[in-house]
Amino acid sequence: MPNIVFVHPDGAREELEIAEGTSLMQGATAQGIDGIVAECGGNCMCATCHVYVEPSQLALLPAMSEEEDALLDGTASERQPNSRLSCQISVTPALDGLLVNLPERQV
Amino acid sequence: MSRPGTVLVLGTGQAGFQVAASLREEGFDGRVVLVGDEPGLPYQRPPLSKAYLTGKADANAVRLRPDKFFAEHRLELRAGERAARIDRAGRRVALASGEAIPYDHLVLALGARNRALPVPGAGLDGVAQLRTLGDAEALRGRLDAARQAVVVGAGFIGLEFAAVAAARGVAVTVVEAADRPMARSLSPAMSAFFRGAHERQDVRFVFGATVVRVLGGEGGGLATGVETADGRRFPADLVLVGIGVVPNAELAAEAGLAVADGIAVDEHLATDDPAISAIGDCARHPCRFAAAGTGPTRIESVQNAVDQARCVAARIAGRPAPYGAVPWFWSDQGALKLQIAGLATPHERAVVRGDPAGGAFSVFCFREGRLVGVESVNRPLDHVLARKLLANGIGLAPEQAADPRFDLKAHASVPRAA
């Protein structure tokens, strides 16, 4: 299974194996990672699964939908050019080794 | 700054889970005990009538967090235990097992239960409801064998189920007392759109009809259909009842707390006992988005459960703030996703933005000249922007909403006037 690295705001790293076809958000919450809230359960409605993707890996990700773009304008931690919602990122073999930074706040 | 002591949470649904998780996020360091009568780990309810029913998600996928999360955060989960009595003077809750758990603060996140169909035959085998994981498991099994289903009630749950059943080739008839689907929640325009969409998937509606009897059961057999007040009979091998809910307020009432279709709470979500709060489906709170004169409001939604939980956790941790989040809702019905921002009922004026014929539009609802709610289907950006407008009190004229050239995104980004 692809390996995804989550980096907490304090620098702590957690590596998770996430099955292909599940979202980063699902993989993180199912394994109990702090820092991903995902209150809507992956419906792209709440912007509480915000992550900052390693800039050099951004191009590996699926394109952003209009709704994700709009929701990112309302995140609790400031939006950056590498901001994404982790519920909209489906894990593929190409994402093995992806590194995402968790924001200070999700709500 | 954390305050020691024990927070006892009754209810392990979305609200109960969230208040426990948020207490730790807020730095609360005391004991946190979660008591709920359902077995297993807390789970999300919305997928039960959608992904879970279609088999796309299993019980693991609907869990809110794994076992390890509760251990790591020292959240004592007492699943499968029922609270029997609140002893306010002694600040403890007696469980049905006889054990008593003391508290410094008690959070009632007791949820709601489905309203039972009050007619003869409602207890027959083959009459189902959908609220818990257990209900969904049972229903999933029945759906495999079903050929004809009657859905009693054209609300969100009933229609989500109808869409799933129809997609599996079950002949579905929806029997509803009102004259249109989701009449309690939706504008006539959006309601009509969903009626058409379901009918195109071969769901049949019977409006203005009240079920007076569930047929069948002879010799211990299954339900075979329903009969309406006008004597019509609708055959079915599966009857799904979705006619609303009753808040679980009995424990609070028995403890002498104020209860009126829900546990009464103030703007901080505290009951009339300052050591007891109530949140989620079971609580009735003063809501700034409700119509003037309607009184305190009870809202059944994930958003309300989660945001109220956070509000109470922050207060317990020493950071009180009145509750004022914008209500929002969603419902997946077949391929359609309905999104609602605000509380649009009642409203005097509704304007359409987008293209109803093309299946992508929003209905902007105005009460006393102010935007109070927006219903969207396949217009997710409208929904997100509507939440911003409502949260920040940004005004919008009906003419602006209806004008396709009006830049709603730029308008919603305008800083709030002082």
Side-chain angles (χ1 to χ4, degrees):
Chain A
M1 279 192 278
N3 224 34
I4 311 289
V5 183
F6 291 80
V7 183
H8 291 271
D10 65 1
R13 291 165 65 100
E14 286 188 84
E15 283 191 32
L16 299 185
E17 287 189 344
I18 300 180
E20 283 170 40
T22 54
S23 74
L24 274 193
M25 180 282 286
Q26 284 171 316
T29 56
Q31 297 183 56
I33 282 254
D34 281 331
I36 300 272
V37 173
E39 70 182 50
C40 78
N43 275 278
C44 199
M45 288 199 65
C46 70
T48 62
C49 64
H50 180 198
V51 294
Y52 301 115
V53 177
E54 164 60 32
S56 64
Q57 295 175 310
L58 263 181
L60 299 173
L61 302 183
M64 188 185 294
S65 68
E66 216 183 31
E67 61 190 309
E68 182 182 349
D69 190 18
L71 279 166
L72 281 168
D73 283 342
T75 51
S77 287
E78 198 185 344
R79 178 176 186 170
Q80 304 286 347
N82 59 337
S83 286
R84 292 296 304 257
L85 295 181
S86 57
C87 73
Q88 299 302 301
I89 301 174
S90 183
V91 172
T92 61
L95 296 190
D96 186 37
L98 182 74
L99 188 147
V100 300
N101 285 282
L102 295 165
E104 285 286 344
R105 301 176 49 80
Q106 293 286 8
V107 297
Chain B
M1 181 78 87
S2 65
R3 299 182 176 184
T6 297
V7 177
L8 174 57
V9 182
L10 300 186
T12 55
Q14 191 107 35
F17 163 76
Q18 189 63 51
V19 78
S22 293
L23 277 167
R24 291 299 184 232
E25 282 164 27
E26 294 278 351
F28 176 80
D29 199 34
R31 187 178 179 210
V32 178
V33 186
L34 270 159
V35 174
D37 56 7
E38 286 193 62
L41 292 168
Y43 59 88
Q44 311 167 58
R45 293 193 199 281
L48 297 182
S49 48
K50 305 159 191 140
Y52 186 84
L53 215 48
T54 59
K56 272 186 220 148
D58 62 8
N60 272 322
V62 301
R63 274 187 195 130
L64 281 159
R65 293 294 183 277
D67 232 342
K68 126 180 187 256
F69 179 89
F70 294 85
E72 279 175 3
H73 293 277
R74 293 177 295 117
L75 306 175
E76 296 174 39
L77 178 63
R78 305 287 298 270
E81 296 255 25
R82 199 171 62 79
R85 200 173 74 85
I86 302 168
D87 172 5
R88 288 169 56 191
R91 289 206 177 173
R92 63 193 163 200
V93 169
L95 304 185
S97 64
E99 186 189 350
I101 301 179
Y103 65 83
D104 296 288
H105 197 93
L106 177 64
V107 182
L108 303 176
L110 295 159
R113 58 185 180 274
N114 288 356
R115 191 181 295 282
L117 188 63
V119 304
L124 286 176
D125 198 10
V127 180
Q129 58 163 347
L130 182 48
R131 181 161 191 90
T132 66
L133 189 54
D135 291 340
E137 254 170 49
L139 195 55
R140 196 150 78 163
R142 289 193 183 280
L143 202 48
D144 286 336
R147 309 195 22 195
Q148 280 183 303
V150 164
V151 175
V152 184
F156 292 127
I157 292 282
L159 293 181
E160 288 173 8
F161 170 78
V164 169
R168 293 174 60 149
V170 179
V172 181
T173 302
V174 180
V175 180
E176 164 63 45
D179 60 357
R180 59 190 180 89
M182 300 174 281
R184 212 162 53 96
S185 318
L186 287 193
S187 67
M190 189 57 82
S191 194
F193 173 80
F194 270 86
R195 175 184 178 166
H198 283 290
E199 284 176 340
R200 283 190 293 280
Q201 303 301 316
D202 294 327
V203 172
R204 171 189 178 199
F205 285 100
V206 181
F207 293 109
T210 311
V211 170
V212 293
R213 184 188 321 280
V214 177
L215 305 167
E218 288 80 15
L222 293 163
T224 57
V226 302
E227 185 179 319
T228 52
D230 54 10
R232 283 182 289 174
R233 292 181 164 211
F234 301 94
D237 45 24
L238 176 58
V239 178
L240 189 279
V241 179
I243 53 171
V245 302
V246 181
N248 293 325
E250 288 79 1
L251 267 185
E254 286 157 18
L257 297 170
V259 164
D261 183 36
I263 303 163
V265 293
D266 65 15
E267 57 172 6
H268 287 273
L269 311 175
T271 67
D272 44 10
D273 180 336
I276 306 180
S277 302
I279 57 172
D281 288 14
C282 73
R284 186 169 282 275
H285 71 286
C287 179
R288 69 184 175 107
F289 297 98
T294 54
T297 307
R298 201 170 61 71
I299 297 178
E300 299 153 19
S301 73
V302 168
Q303 170 278 322
N304 183 67
V306 168
D307 285 336
Q308 293 199 337
R310 286 194 189 120
C311 174
V312 165
R315 171 160 51 84
I316 293 171
R319 282 177 289 279
Y323 181 72
V326 177
W328 52 264
F329 312 82
W330 82 91
S331 174
D332 290 320
Q333 299 179 20
L336 298 174
K337 181 193 235 173
L338 168 66
Q339 296 173 293
I340 305 170
L343 298 178
T345 306
H347 59 263
E348 297 98 35
R349 187 153 178 206
V351 303
V352 169
R353 183 176 178 86
D355 174 22
F361 70 109
S362 296
V363 181
F364 284 66
C365 302
F366 296 83
R367 179 162 66 230
E368 289 160 10
R370 288 180 42 226
L371 180 71
V372 291
V374 178
E375 304 157 346
S376 306
V377 62
N378 293 333
R379 292 272 293 195
L381 191 57
D382 285 352
H383 172 75
V384 172
L385 297 175
R387 275 161 52 183
K388 284 190 189 178
L389 294 176
L390 294 168
N392 296 319
I394 299 170
L396 182 76
E399 295 70 27
Q400 292 173 319
D403 178 358
R405 289 157 308 171
F406 181 74
D407 188 342
L408 201 59
K409 186 169 183 184
H411 185 69
S413 307
V414 171
R416 184 184 182 179

